[in-house]
Amino acid sequence: MASRLLCASRAASYLRISVFHRGFSSVIKDLKYADSHEWVKVDGNSATIGITDHAQDHLGDVVYVELPEVGVTVKQGASFGAVESVKATSDVNSPVSGKVVEVNEELSSSPALVNSSPYEDGWIIKVETDNAGELKKLMDADQYTKFCEEEDSKH
């Protein structure tokens, strides 16, 4: 475990990526996080959404991802799909409101991308946001890290 973490830290340093390590889970500095363990990356009025490394780690091997249709409206905090793993099925909630403009079709044939690359190749949907103020209700990386530590200490 230590060598794997050290290797990841060296790679992050080399690539100049801001990553906070918590065991095997990582939190990306420039994203926002929901308390239901989804992340969102906002660029203008475009938002990319997925589940966190912490969430995928607790779910185990993902075997199926239920995707919404392009064009549907999602609301902050409401479910838009599900992730099924060998352990459980979990709803995926949207951290922001808006219209789904793209879904990650790769997840239909390769749902394990959610495990292997939750912040890059394992994204789930892209949304055209309609309320930038909703981001204030989400956690930054430091807040999310603390939230996960507190949540894990209860179990």
Side-chain angles (χ1 to χ4, degrees), residues 129-149:
T129 61
D130 55 14
N131 185 350
E134 290 179 334
L135 294 175
K136 295 176 185 173
K137 298 177 184 175
L138 302 174
M139 294 178 270
D140 64 20
D142 292 332
Q143 293 167 324
Y144 181 68
T145 298
K146 185 175 181 180
F147 173 79
C148 290
E149 288 169 351

Side-chain angles (χ1 to χ4, degrees), residues 39 66 132:
W39 59 265
E66 178 187 330

Side-chain angles (χ1 to χ4, degrees), residues 2-15:
S3 64
R4 182 176 173 185
L5 188 57
L6 180 61
C7 183
S9 294
R10 286 184 182 155
S13 295
Y14 178 74
L15 297 171

Side-chain angles (χ1 to χ4, degrees), residues 73-88:
T73 300
V74 295
K75 295 287 182 197
Q76 185 177 46
S79 174
F80 66 79
V83 175
E84 184 178 329
S85 73
V86 294
K87 292 182 183 178

Side-chain angles (χ1 to χ4, degrees), residues 29-153:
K29 184 173 181 144
D30 298 327
L31 304 179
K32 292 289 193 175
Y33 300 88
D35 61 5
S36 52
H37 301 287
E38 292 85 14
W39 59 265
V40 60
K41 179 180 182 179
V42 177
D43 183 16
N45 69 340
S46 176
T48 303
I49 298 168
I51 67 167
T52 66
D53 190 34
H54 182 81
Q56 72 78 25
D57 186 49
H58 283 275
L59 280 170
D61 294 336
V62 174
V63 295
Y64 177 73
V65 179
E66 178 187 330
L67 300 169
E69 295 290 324
V70 170
V72 302
T73 300
V74 295
K75 295 287 182 197
Q76 185 177 46
S79 174
F80 66 79
V83 175
E84 184 178 329
S85 73
V86 294
K87 292 182 183 178
T89 299
S90 181
D91 285 339
V92 182
N93 300 323
S94 185
V96 293
S97 300
K99 178 181 169 185
V100 176
V101 294
E102 188 177 351
V103 298
N104 188 349
E105 297 290 349
E106 286 290 313
L107 298 178
S108 296
S109 59
S110 302
L113 288 171
V114 170
N115 296 114
S116 63
S117 183
Y119 300 116
E120 295 291 329
D121 300 329
W123 63 273
I124 299 174
I125 63 171
K126 293 188 180 185
V127 172
E128 185 179 296
T129 61
D130 55 14
N131 185 350
E134 290 179 334
L135 294 175
K136 295 176 185 173
K137 298 177 184 175
L138 302 174
M139 294 178 270
D140 64 20
D142 292 332
Q143 293 167 324
Y144 181 68
T145 298
K146 185 175 181 180
F147 173 79
C148 290
E149 288 169 351
E150 290 172 0
E151 188 176 72
D152 286 350
S153 71

Side-chain angles (χ1 to χ4, degrees), residues 16-37:
R16 296 194 172 141
I17 298 172
S18 299
V19 177
F20 299 96
H21 294 287
R22 295 183 340 82
F24 284 113
S25 299
S26 61
V27 176
I28 306 295
K29 184 173 181 144
D30 298 327
L31 304 179
K32 292 289 193 175
Y33 300 88
D35 61 5
S36 52
H37 301 287

